Amino acid sequence: MVLAGPTAVGKGTVASYVREHYPDVWLSVSATTRPPRPGEEDGRHYFFVDEPEFDRLERTGQLLESATVHGRARYGTPRGPVEQALLQGRPTMLEIDLQGARQVRQAMPEALFVFLAPPSWEELVQRLVGRGTESEAERATRLETARTELAAVSEFDVTIVNDDVARAAEHLVSLMVDPRAKD
Ligand code: 5GP
């Protein structure tokens, strides 16, 4: 299952909830070139790699998908562990950005694609610009990105509204156990 959605919708929070509460679900650990944040562990939240190592992973076909996110750092899903989890029949989940989701659709069209949506456009705007720390230009760029990202909803199999993290996570997990539980 691939979980994607617009910037600031709370994908990471929902994925963390699944990690904490549903140990049977196998969550892919991405490689990234961004530095760790406080509390993040190498190999658990991400594999923190430098640019040459990311290049090597990409060149040797070890990434199922990869993308530069927010024009800053590079992120990618290591292919081997995903294939292994699927072979073991484990419920398998990727939390990635939209560009990555599109690549996985090419590589594994049989996956279930879930779009995490904000309760409303206003709510997303609030989350994006609410902190008031960005310049006017930065806010405009973010809003424009969010608008384009929201339009991608039609590419997905299922939409889950993130109005409550626990509820959204439970719905996700139920989809992995029974993909027919789409409503
Ligand atoms: P953060 O740096 O805040 O943890 O994540 C930033 C963004 O990168 C989020 O939108 C997240 O979904 C995305 N992301 C994390 N891992 C991957 C990955 O392996 N591939 C892609 N394409 N995006 C990722």
Side-chain angles (χ1 to χ4, degrees), residues 11 30 34 37 46 65 67 69 75-77 95-97 100:
K11 293 181 301 255
S30 302
R34 82 152 164 76
R37 298 189 186 121
Y46 282 104
E65 59 75 34
V69 180
Y75 296 81
T77 304
E95 182 258 297
I96 57 179
D97 88 320

Side-chain angles (χ1 to χ4, degrees), residues 72 125-142:
R72 284 197 292 264
V125 171
Q126 203 53 42
R127 287 188 203 174
L128 276 169
V129 304
R131 286 171 299 184
T133 48
E134 291 85 17
S135 68
E136 187 60 42
E138 170 80 355
R139 277 205 293 272
T141 311
R142 284 180 177 226

Side-chain angles (χ1 to χ4, degrees), residues 69-140:
V69 180
H70 302 318
R72 284 197 292 264
R74 295 159 81 192
Y75 296 81
T77 304
R79 184 192 298 274
V82 174
E83 289 176 348
Q84 206 176 341
L86 291 172
L87 273 176
Q88 290 169 352
R90 295 193 65 181
T92 299
M93 182 173 146
L94 273 56
E95 182 258 297
I96 57 179
D97 88 320
L98 285 168
Q99 311 166 70
R102 290 179 178 131
Q103 292 170 42
V104 179
R105 191 181 277 295
Q106 296 297 316
M108 292 185 173
E110 66 280 18
L112 184 70
F113 292 83
V114 178
F115 189 86
L116 193 67
S120 66
W121 168 252
E122 288 72 26
E123 178 95 17
L124 188 67
V125 171
Q126 203 53 42
R127 287 188 203 174
L128 276 169
V129 304
R131 286 171 299 184
T133 48
E134 291 85 17
S135 68
E136 187 60 42
E138 170 80 355
R139 277 205 293 272

